[in-house]
Amino acid sequence: MATNLQVTSEKISDQETQLTVKVPVEQIQNKVEARIRQTAKTAKIDGFRKGKVPMSHIRAQYGAGIQQEVINDQIRDTVFEAIKQEDIRAVGMPNIDDVKLEDDFLVYQATVEIFPEVEVQGLGDLKIERQTSTVDDKEVDKMIKSLQEQRLTYKEKKGMLKKKDQAIFDFEGTVDGEKFEGGAAEDFELVMGSNRFIPGFEDGMLDMKAGEERVIDVTFPEDYQAENLKGKDAQFKVNLKMVKKPVLPELNEEFFELFGVKEGGLEQLKADVRKNMEREIKNASRNQVKQAAFDALLEKNEFDVPKAMVEQEVDRQRNQMLQRFASQFGGDASQFDASMFPNEMFEEQATRAARLGVIVASLIDANNIKVDQERVEAFINESAENYEDPTEVIEYFKNDEQQRAGIESVVLEDQVVDFILEQGKVTDKEVKYTDLIAAQQQQQMMM
């Protein structure tokens, strides 16, 4: 820590404060002398043995550079102390300028962006819709059917190829009578209705039988990825080798065990599915009303946020996008060029997120909202239910400070949402389970 640091501050706008920092020159001189003596031990200058170079030569050759290094180090070491001393809630890195030696001090100016101070408006006027849903027997049966469909297999059948059947075939495509790259394959597997091929191809195969050959006329879309094929008419010669029909797995012990049901059969599976769906409804409804509450608050609270906050949020969202990209296409996020996702892609959402962060922080400070540790424990216990060994997961979250801090942050935000809902006017709306979950998934994709 620096000693005898002199700091004055001046608010130059709602978003910036300028500090004038004075560091005693004596501190700099002492460090310069110490570094010169250290340099003298290892410096190599023609005509002198190592460690025997006169100090006057060391000062002449290295003094200016060493002094500048020490000044830079002193600025780096003192600027955040100055910010803390003035009790400034800074965001981003300070901008240093006007560095000079004046009388007995190193003097510099540091311009810092400050966390906005806002008084949240309109809490009592908020109108918020809370969506929820219920799980009935029909929805549970639909979900179990969906679980079957996710694990369906295909079995050879006789007769014509129909929608949802799987075709195994050879094909060869031509444009103006010429073959093209990627236009042929053997033993290709395709489920009718999957829309994996260009429009018209799958429809042209319907009602074929195994052993039949057919030429299918299609037109490549104008936005097709291959430049040489955009909008081109093409012919595909197809040889259908086999037709397979979809077969759902039976609802038997083997199927039940796939979902951890070892006793109780179908009724236990239904109970587990219902419980999971109810948990999904709870989470989706919670996220929906949180979003609705935040949207309503943002509409009533317009203010500018520091560029540094927006830039930090842009970086966070870009890194998140890179992680998704890497997950989808394989590899590590660092292997992809961040310039694929320019700042403009994220600035609107980043500005919104930064403003929302200020609103949430202001509500926490103004209303002295503290994290509820009982809710933290409940959150951990509920999250652990999804794992094979809940006890191990609970211990992990309890003992890992970083993970627990993340959960505390989530719970604290939930408490802020509760506070907002208590102040505003909330109306409940019953919606379909599928609609609620689909909306939640769409929202997560946009985040």
PDB file of all heavy atoms in Angstrom, residues 58-75:
ATOM      1  N   ILE A  58      25.464   3.220 -15.311  1.00  0.00           N
ATOM      2  CA  ILE A  58      24.161   2.553 -15.198  1.00  0.00           C
ATOM      3  C   ILE A  58      23.046   3.582 -15.279  1.00  0.00           C
ATOM      4  O   ILE A  58      22.058   3.413 -16.002  1.00  0.00           O
ATOM      5  CB  ILE A  58      24.056   1.759 -13.885  1.00  0.00           C
ATOM      6  CG1 ILE A  58      25.087   0.620 -13.856  1.00  0.00           C
ATOM      7  CG2 ILE A  58      22.644   1.200 -13.700  1.00  0.00           C
ATOM      8  CD1 ILE A  58      24.860  -0.449 -14.890  1.00  0.00           C
ATOM      9  N   ARG A  59      23.241   4.701 -14.550  1.00  0.00           N
ATOM     10  CA  ARG A  59      22.213   5.748 -14.570  1.00  0.00           C
ATOM     11  C   ARG A  59      22.067   6.349 -15.968  1.00  0.00           C
ATOM     12  O   ARG A  59      20.960   6.639 -16.429  1.00  0.00           O
ATOM     13  CB  ARG A  59      22.541   6.837 -13.553  1.00  0.00           C
ATOM     14  CG  ARG A  59      22.299   6.427 -12.118  1.00  0.00           C
ATOM     15  CD  ARG A  59      22.335   7.650 -11.196  1.00  0.00           C
ATOM     16  NE  ARG A  59      21.995   7.259  -9.841  1.00  0.00           N
ATOM     17  CZ  ARG A  59      22.886   6.841  -8.937  1.00  0.00           C
ATOM     18  NH1 ARG A  59      24.178   6.759  -9.276  1.00  0.00           N
ATOM     19  NH2 ARG A  59      22.497   6.491  -7.733  1.00  0.00           N
ATOM     20  N   ALA A  60      23.197   6.557 -16.627  1.00  0.00           N
ATOM     21  CA  ALA A  60      23.152   7.175 -17.949  1.00  0.00           C
ATOM     22  C   ALA A  60      22.438   6.289 -18.960  1.00  0.00           C
ATOM     23  O   ALA A  60      21.683   6.764 -19.803  1.00  0.00           O
ATOM     24  CB  ALA A  60      24.578   7.492 -18.423  1.00  0.00           C
ATOM     25  N   GLN A  61      22.713   4.981 -18.883  1.00  0.00           N
ATOM     26  CA  GLN A  61      22.162   4.074 -19.896  1.00  0.00           C
ATOM     27  C   GLN A  61      20.775   3.559 -19.539  1.00  0.00           C
ATOM     28  O   GLN A  61      19.937   3.380 -20.418  1.00  0.00           O
ATOM     29  CB  GLN A  61      23.110   2.882 -20.100  1.00  0.00           C
ATOM     30  CG  GLN A  61      22.659   1.943 -21.228  1.00  0.00           C
ATOM     31  CD  GLN A  61      23.814   1.159 -21.785  1.00  0.00           C
ATOM     32  OE1 GLN A  61      24.976   1.497 -21.570  1.00  0.00           O
ATOM     33  NE2 GLN A  61      23.514   0.101 -22.523  1.00  0.00           N
ATOM     34  N   TYR A  62      20.525   3.332 -18.264  1.00  0.00           N
ATOM     35  CA  TYR A  62      19.264   2.684 -17.870  1.00  0.00           C
ATOM     36  C   TYR A  62      18.336   3.570 -17.034  1.00  0.00           C
ATOM     37  O   TYR A  62      17.171   3.233 -16.825  1.00  0.00           O
ATOM     38  CB  TYR A  62      19.560   1.409 -17.060  1.00  0.00           C
ATOM     39  CG  TYR A  62      20.320   0.356 -17.814  1.00  0.00           C
ATOM     40  CD1 TYR A  62      21.683   0.165 -17.576  1.00  0.00           C
ATOM     41  CD2 TYR A  62      19.684  -0.453 -18.751  1.00  0.00           C
ATOM     42  CE1 TYR A  62      22.395  -0.807 -18.263  1.00  0.00           C
ATOM     43  CE2 TYR A  62      20.389  -1.430 -19.439  1.00  0.00           C
ATOM     44  CZ  TYR A  62      21.751  -1.600 -19.190  1.00  0.00           C
ATOM     45  OH  TYR A  62      22.441  -2.561 -19.879  1.00  0.00           O
ATOM     46  N   GLY A  63      18.852   4.678 -16.539  1.00  0.00           N
ATOM     47  CA  GLY A  63      18.098   5.459 -15.561  1.00  0.00           C
ATOM     48  C   GLY A  63      16.730   5.917 -16.045  1.00  0.00           C
ATOM     49  O   GLY A  63      15.725   5.773 -15.333  1.00  0.00           O
ATOM     50  N   ALA A  64      16.677   6.481 -17.260  1.00  0.00           N
ATOM     51  CA  ALA A  64      15.406   7.012 -17.755  1.00  0.00           C
ATOM     52  C   ALA A  64      14.368   5.901 -17.910  1.00  0.00           C
ATOM     53  O   ALA A  64      13.190   6.062 -17.540  1.00  0.00           O
ATOM     54  CB  ALA A  64      15.613   7.721 -19.099  1.00  0.00           C
ATOM     55  N   GLY A  65      14.812   4.779 -18.459  1.00  0.00           N
ATOM     56  CA  GLY A  65      13.878   3.656 -18.642  1.00  0.00           C
ATOM     57  C   GLY A  65      13.394   3.093 -17.319  1.00  0.00           C
ATOM     58  O   GLY A  65      12.207   2.782 -17.156  1.00  0.00           O
ATOM     59  N   ILE A  66      14.311   2.981 -16.348  1.00  0.00           N
ATOM     60  CA  ILE A  66      13.935   2.465 -15.036  1.00  0.00           C
ATOM     61  C   ILE A  66      12.956   3.406 -14.354  1.00  0.00           C
ATOM     62  O   ILE A  66      11.972   2.981 -13.751  1.00  0.00           O
ATOM     63  CB  ILE A  66      15.197   2.249 -14.163  1.00  0.00           C
ATOM     64  CG1 ILE A  66      15.990   1.044 -14.691  1.00  0.00           C
ATOM     65  CG2 ILE A  66      14.818   2.046 -12.696  1.00  0.00           C
ATOM     66  CD1 ILE A  66      17.309   0.825 -13.979  1.00  0.00           C
ATOM     67  N   GLN A  67      13.239   4.717 -14.459  1.00  0.00           N
ATOM     68  CA  GLN A  67      12.319   5.679 -13.845  1.00  0.00           C
ATOM     69  C   GLN A  67      10.919   5.567 -14.438  1.00  0.00           C
ATOM     70  O   GLN A  67       9.918   5.606 -13.708  1.00  0.00           O
ATOM     71  CB  GLN A  67      12.847   7.109 -14.022  1.00  0.00           C
ATOM     72  CG  GLN A  67      11.902   8.163 -13.438  1.00  0.00           C
ATOM     73  CD  GLN A  67      12.501   9.544 -13.431  1.00  0.00           C
ATOM     74  OE1 GLN A  67      13.435   9.807 -12.688  1.00  0.00           O
ATOM     75  NE2 GLN A  67      11.971  10.439 -14.267  1.00  0.00           N
ATOM     76  N   GLN A  68      10.824   5.422 -15.763  1.00  0.00           N
ATOM     77  CA  GLN A  68       9.511   5.304 -16.390  1.00  0.00           C
ATOM     78  C   GLN A  68       8.807   4.020 -15.949  1.00  0.00           C
ATOM     79  O   GLN A  68       7.590   4.018 -15.698  1.00  0.00           O
ATOM     80  CB  GLN A  68       9.645   5.320 -17.916  1.00  0.00           C
ATOM     81  CG  GLN A  68       8.303   5.399 -18.640  1.00  0.00           C
ATOM     82  CD  GLN A  68       7.512   6.638 -18.255  1.00  0.00           C
ATOM     83  OE1 GLN A  68       8.013   7.758 -18.345  1.00  0.00           O
ATOM     84  NE2 GLN A  68       6.277   6.444 -17.799  1.00  0.00           N
ATOM     85  N   GLU A  69       9.567   2.930 -15.829  1.00  0.00           N
ATOM     86  CA  GLU A  69       8.991   1.672 -15.347  1.00  0.00           C
ATOM     87  C   GLU A  69       8.438   1.839 -13.930  1.00  0.00           C
ATOM     88  O   GLU A  69       7.337   1.367 -13.617  1.00  0.00           O
ATOM     89  CB  GLU A  69      10.053   0.565 -15.362  1.00  0.00           C
ATOM     90  CG  GLU A  69      10.435   0.076 -16.747  1.00  0.00           C
ATOM     91  CD  GLU A  69      11.531  -0.972 -16.680  1.00  0.00           C
ATOM     92  OE1 GLU A  69      11.941  -1.331 -15.538  1.00  0.00           O
ATOM     93  OE2 GLU A  69      11.973  -1.443 -17.740  1.00  0.00           O
ATOM     94  N   VAL A  70       9.202   2.495 -13.074  1.00  0.00           N
ATOM     95  CA  VAL A  70       8.767   2.687 -11.684  1.00  0.00           C
ATOM     96  C   VAL A  70       7.528   3.570 -11.635  1.00  0.00           C
ATOM     97  O   VAL A  70       6.589   3.306 -10.871  1.00  0.00           O
ATOM     98  CB  VAL A  70       9.905   3.290 -10.840  1.00  0.00           C
ATOM     99  CG1 VAL A  70       9.393   3.693  -9.458  1.00  0.00           C
ATOM    100  CG2 VAL A  70      11.042   2.289 -10.700  1.00  0.00           C
ATOM    101  N   ILE A  71       7.506   4.623 -12.463  1.00  0.00           N
ATOM    102  CA  ILE A  71       6.331   5.497 -12.496  1.00  0.00           C
ATOM    103  C   ILE A  71       5.098   4.702 -12.922  1.00  0.00           C
ATOM    104  O   ILE A  71       4.020   4.829 -12.313  1.00  0.00           O
ATOM    105  CB  ILE A  71       6.574   6.691 -13.441  1.00  0.00           C
ATOM    106  CG1 ILE A  71       7.568   7.677 -12.796  1.00  0.00           C
ATOM    107  CG2 ILE A  71       5.256   7.393 -13.774  1.00  0.00           C
ATOM    108  CD1 ILE A  71       7.984   8.812 -13.714  1.00  0.00           C
ATOM    109  N   ASN A  72       5.254   3.894 -13.970  1.00  0.00           N
ATOM    110  CA  ASN A  72       4.124   3.069 -14.421  1.00  0.00           C
ATOM    111  C   ASN A  72       3.659   2.120 -13.329  1.00  0.00           C
ATOM    112  O   ASN A  72       2.452   1.932 -13.118  1.00  0.00           O
ATOM    113  CB  ASN A  72       4.518   2.271 -15.665  1.00  0.00           C
ATOM    114  CG  ASN A  72       4.714   3.154 -16.886  1.00  0.00           C
ATOM    115  OD1 ASN A  72       4.220   4.285 -16.924  1.00  0.00           O
ATOM    116  ND2 ASN A  72       5.446   2.657 -17.871  1.00  0.00           N
ATOM    117  N   ASP A  73       4.628   1.537 -12.617  1.00  0.00           N
ATOM    118  CA  ASP A  73       4.274   0.617 -11.530  1.00  0.00           C
ATOM    119  C   ASP A  73       3.551   1.361 -10.405  1.00  0.00           C
ATOM    120  O   ASP A  73       2.593   0.838  -9.818  1.00  0.00           O
ATOM    121  CB  ASP A  73       5.528  -0.061 -10.972  1.00  0.00           C
ATOM    122  CG  ASP A  73       6.122  -1.078 -11.940  1.00  0.00           C
ATOM    123  OD1 ASP A  73       5.429  -1.426 -12.922  1.00  0.00           O
ATOM    124  OD2 ASP A  73       7.263  -1.516 -11.714  1.00  0.00           O
ATOM    125  N   GLN A  74       4.013   2.582 -10.101  1.00  0.00           N
ATOM    126  CA  GLN A  74       3.393   3.356  -9.030  1.00  0.00           C
ATOM    127  C   GLN A  74       1.952   3.734  -9.387  1.00  0.00           C
ATOM    128  O   GLN A  74       1.057   3.678  -8.540  1.00  0.00           O
ATOM    129  CB  GLN A  74       4.212   4.620  -8.762  1.00  0.00           C
ATOM    130  CG  GLN A  74       5.449   4.382  -7.944  1.00  0.00           C
ATOM    131  CD  GLN A  74       5.119   4.002  -6.508  1.00  0.00           C
ATOM    132  OE1 GLN A  74       4.680   4.833  -5.720  1.00  0.00           O
ATOM    133  NE2 GLN A  74       5.301   2.743  -6.158  1.00  0.00           N
ATOM    134  N   ILE A  75       1.736   4.096 -10.638  1.00  0.00           N
ATOM    135  CA  ILE A  75       0.372   4.403 -11.073  1.00  0.00           C
ATOM    136  C   ILE A  75      -0.508   3.175 -10.957  1.00  0.00           C
ATOM    137  O   ILE A  75      -1.632   3.228 -10.437  1.00  0.00           O
ATOM    138  CB  ILE A  75       0.375   4.951 -12.524  1.00  0.00           C
ATOM    139  CG1 ILE A  75       1.070   6.309 -12.565  1.00  0.00           C
ATOM    140  CG2 ILE A  75      -1.048   5.047 -13.060  1.00  0.00           C
ATOM    141  CD1 ILE A  75       1.275   6.850 -13.969  1.00  0.00           C
TER     142      ILE A  75
END
